[in-house]
Amino acid sequence: MPRSPLRIFFATGSWAILAFLVLPILVVIPVSLTDTAFIGLPKEHLSLQHFDTFLHSPEWLQATWTSIWIGIIVAAASTALGTAFCIGCWFLSDRAATIARWVMIVPILVPPVVQSLGFYKFWVTLGLIDTHFGVILAHTLLALPYVTISVFAALTNLDRRIPQAARNLGAPLILAIRTVILPSIRPGMITGAIFAFIVSFDEIVGVLFLTVRRVETLPKMIWEGIQESVDPVIAAVATILVILTLLVTAAAVARSYAATKPHPS
Amino acid sequence: MPRMNEKLRYWMLVLPALAVMIFFYIWPVLNIWGISVTEPATGLGNYTKMFDSNAVRVSFMLTFRIAAITTVVCLLLGYILAYTISNFATKARPLMLGLVLLPFWVSVLIRSFAWIVLLGRSGLVNDALMDTGLIATPIRFMHNETGVLIAMVHVMLPFAVLPMLTNMRGIPGSYMKAARGLGASEWRAFRDVYFPQTLPGVFSGGLLVFVLSLGFYITPALLGGGRVMMISEYITYQIQEFLNWGLGAALSVALLVATAIILFVAGRFVNLRKTFLERN
């Protein structure tokens, strides 16, 4: 195709915008290797001291572990609830079911501070403030919209006649769901579960409202660290998370290149 | 099997999640209205205070202005990206898509931290400028609207790109080719044939970015440094500093109502179903 001015404009513009999206995030990597006690580029040599601090700090490790296990429970709970919900709505496919689906995505539309205020007042009456269960419950509610969106997307690709055939052949509803529907919507469920885990793992505003001292999550430690002193340990934590994300993204990109390549035959 | 019984079983699947959502989420959020008219005293005192307050007005205006600018910038940049990814980049497409999604998966907190590292008073940008002798004293990039806007655009851009990409994927290239074949210049074919077809994606992305920006808290709070107080930060400020739950609740109601009105009005131009319910 000829290189028209319009095309050149769009292509250069795009790479510039992508640089704006990605490069600022990568800045945490050199900063985490600094040999100084404050945020900045390494002065004399590279140092892993801030990673060392992270790996030997009971507070940071405890908070990381808390975020991980809360995220796993939230992913499991919201995927279970959300999948059942979507299958029911998919079978019903009426006006009421559509309204129910709108109700489930309300948490996407309500500002985080507003919903956290609502949580706080209710959690006080329920006695859930500063408990792990209180955080898990709040995060499950916040993750449900993402689970229902991705599971329902998987269901719309499913042919209605397939579970119907199973039912006609005498399979009870539960059996039809377990053996016919669940295997075919598994990709949507996995996407939903990953989303749910990340929603919980990154969530900060709710945690700030709902916890005091007993529950410390990783985002809360980072938030407090930024507010107080901007310690390079935060850069080390950020680097670990950014590199994990980079690896996963690189793997996904490589996979999609492999998928588009013609098979050598 | 009787039909009614069957329907009931489907509702049994729907109900657990729906009940949890209504009882633990919808109900507490609606209850904020109750707090706003009972604390500290019964009545509409919080609302009169809110409407009379100059600080509240300033904060609301600031919030709408920042959300509007963020939306426009995200749409412009996002359009260029989405257009390139769907029309020009064939080889680079997966890579570009990966680079758009990468920041999406990095938490907002860490992205804001990265911007603080870059834009702070002794941040990397100022250090570099001072080392090269371009400036003598640090420039204030942060703790002002510019800093908040840069970081907000950075966070919101993927939200603008994704709906536009979905939309552009559905536009066949043959229309543009036909227009070119009939003698239209590349620019004219883009403007008159391609662009109008992408408007649903543009509106959809714009609405998403605007609504999310209105209630945004983390990035403005960290990059604004208390000087750029968007309404979400104003609410937490009222609650944390003054324990003023009533006013905080009234402001929350106002923010919720504003969001609802925007969605209602936007519903006439935007396919809300595609924007929120069926996005992938």
Side-chain angles (χ1 to χ4, degrees):
Chain A
M1 215 189 246
R3 296 229 152 227
S4 65
L6 192 73
R7 206 185 141 125
I8 292 167
F9 167 76
F10 271 106
T12 12
S14 287
W15 287 112
I17 298 165
L18 287 173
F20 164 73
L21 269 179
V22 176
L23 295 184
I25 300 173
L26 301 184
V27 93
V28 298
I29 299 173
V31 170
S32 72
L33 296 171
T34 187
D35 51 347
T36 61
F38 48 88
I39 292 282
L41 292 174
K43 284 270 185 293
E44 323 244 288
H45 55 88
L46 300 180
S47 155
L48 290 173
Q49 59 177 1
H50 301 296
F51 290 91
D52 199 58
T53 313
F54 172 71
L55 291 173
H56 289 98
S57 150
E59 288 93 16
W60 279 102
L61 291 180
Q62 184 67 41
T64 310
W65 171 237
T66 305
S67 280
I68 292 172
W69 72 257
I70 286 183
I72 291 171
I73 295 179
V74 167
S78 58
T79 308
L81 284 170
T83 304
F85 172 86
C86 287
I87 292 173
C89 281
W90 182 75
F91 272 122
L92 286 164
S93 283
D94 54 8
R95 219 184 133 66
T98 310
I99 294 171
R101 281 173 60 213
W102 274 109
V103 171
M104 289 306 269
I105 63 147
V106 170
I108 293 182
L109 303 173
V110 177
V113 166
V114 176
Q115 67 199 5
S116 301
L117 201 161
F119 282 149
Y120 177 83
K121 282 285 174 180
F122 199 45
W123 269 219
V124 167
T125 55
L126 296 174
L128 290 176
I129 294 294
D130 211 15
T131 63
H132 291 98
F133 180 72
V135 174
I136 291 169
L137 180 58
H139 284 184
T140 303
L141 293 160
L142 300 183
L144 267 169
Y146 299 95
V147 173
T148 51
I149 288 172
S150 56
V151 171
F152 206 86
L155 276 165
T156 44
N157 295 326
L158 181 66
D159 190 335
R160 282 176 184 283
R161 288 168 301 185
I162 298 173
Q164 197 51 53
R167 300 298 309 281
N168 290 347
L169 290 169
L173 182 60
I174 294 299
L175 188 67
I177 290 174
R178 224 183 47 219
T179 56
V180 179
I181 298 181
L182 287 186
S184 35
I185 59 168
R186 187 164 296 145
M189 290 169 67
I190 292 172
T191 312
I194 294 172
F195 257 109
F197 178 83
I198 289 173
V199 165
S200 165
F201 192 77
D202 289 346
E203 206 278 336
I204 173 72
V205 183
V207 171
L208 288 179
F209 271 79
L210 298 178
T211 68
V212 191
R213 278 263 79 101
R214 198 148 18 117
V215 183
E216 290 285 350
T217 67
L218 193 55
K220 196 176 159 195
M221 292 281 286
I222 297 174
W223 173 269
E224 283 163 0
I226 296 176
Q227 299 267 328
E228 281 158 22
S229 61
V230 194
D231 187 330
V233 175
I234 303 169
V237 179
T239 298
I240 295 170
L241 294 175
V242 167
I243 287 183
L244 275 177
T245 318
L246 265 176
L247 290 177
V248 174
T249 311
V253 170
R255 243 181 83 179
S256 90
Y257 271 116
T260 50
K261 240 177 234 156
H263 285 285
S265 54
Chain B
M1 217 177 280
R3 262 191 74 85
M4 206 47 225
N5 186 5
E6 193 80 328
K7 243 188 158 172
L8 196 72
R9 282 153 164 243
Y10 299 147
W11 275 108
M12 295 296 281
L13 290 169
V14 172
L15 226 52
L18 190 64
V20 167
M21 185 58 78
I22 291 174
F23 188 71
F24 291 104
Y25 188 93
I26 307 288
W27 168 245
V29 168
L30 289 178
N31 236 347
I32 296 175
W33 162 257
I35 302 167
S36 75
V37 291
T38 52
E39 276 187 39
T42 311
L44 293 174
N46 289 314
Y47 290 91
T48 48
K49 215 194 276 172
M50 181 175 89
F51 284 113
D52 288 342
S53 159
N54 204 35
V56 169
R57 195 161 42 243
V58 168
S59 179
F60 260 106
M61 302 253 282
L62 177 86
T63 306
F64 273 85
R65 188 171 62 238
I66 289 182
I69 299 174
T70 305
T71 307
V72 171
V73 176
C74 281
L75 285 180
L76 273 173
L77 301 182
Y79 197 95
I80 295 174
L81 260 181
Y83 187 75
T84 311
I85 292 175
S86 10
N87 293 290
F88 296 146
T90 35
K91 259 207 207 130
R93 182 173 297 154
L95 177 62
M96 285 184 143
L97 217 56
L99 292 178
V100 170
L101 288 175
L102 174 73
F104 209 55
W105 296 114
V106 177
S107 93
V108 175
L109 206 50
I110 287 177
R111 282 185 275 170
S112 304
F113 169 71
W115 281 112
I116 293 174
V117 170
L118 278 170
L119 302 179
R121 211 186 129 73
S122 50
L124 300 193
V125 175
N126 269 324
D127 272 4
L129 289 174
M130 300 225 306
D131 283 350
T132 52
L134 282 170
I135 52 168
T137 47
I139 301 175
R140 216 163 82 184
F141 293 111
M142 223 170 75
H143 296 181
N144 58 22
E145 243 179 276
T146 320
V148 172
L149 276 170
I150 294 174
M152 292 256 309
V153 168
H154 187 248
V155 170
M156 293 295 167
L157 193 49
F159 288 103
V161 176
L162 297 178
M164 291 199 267
L165 267 179
T166 315
N167 162 269
M168 288 180 188
R169 200 172 295 154
I171 300 173
S174 47
Y175 293 133
M176 274 276 265
K177 283 210 187 91
R180 296 299 307 275
L182 291 169
S185 68
E186 190 177 14
W187 168 244
R188 178 102 199 271
F190 170 75
R191 196 193 58 192
D192 290 351
V193 177
Y194 192 85
F195 182 70
Q197 297 182 78
T198 58
L199 283 178
V202 173
F203 286 147
S204 190
L207 179 65
L208 203 57
V209 171
F210 192 75
V211 167
L212 292 177
S213 299
L214 274 188
F216 213 46
Y217 173 68
I218 299 165
T219 304
L222 290 179
L223 272 289
R227 287 202 177 82
V228 188
M229 223 183 254
M230 284 175 72
I231 203 70
S232 282
E233 194 183 356
Y234 196 87
I235 294 170
T236 47
Y237 186 68
Q238 286 298 322
I239 291 172
Q240 282 174 346
E241 299 294 315
F242 306 112
L243 295 175
N244 201 341
W245 286 91
L247 184 59
L251 288 164
S252 300
V253 171
L255 183 56
L256 267 183
V257 170
T259 311
I261 291 174
I262 289 160
L263 287 173
F264 182 77
V265 174
R268 295 162 165 268
F269 309 99
V270 186
N271 188 335
L272 292 182
R273 235 186 127 96
K274 277 206 176 128
T275 309
F276 297 107
L277 212 51
E278 277 147 23
R279 86 192 146 111
N280 27 34

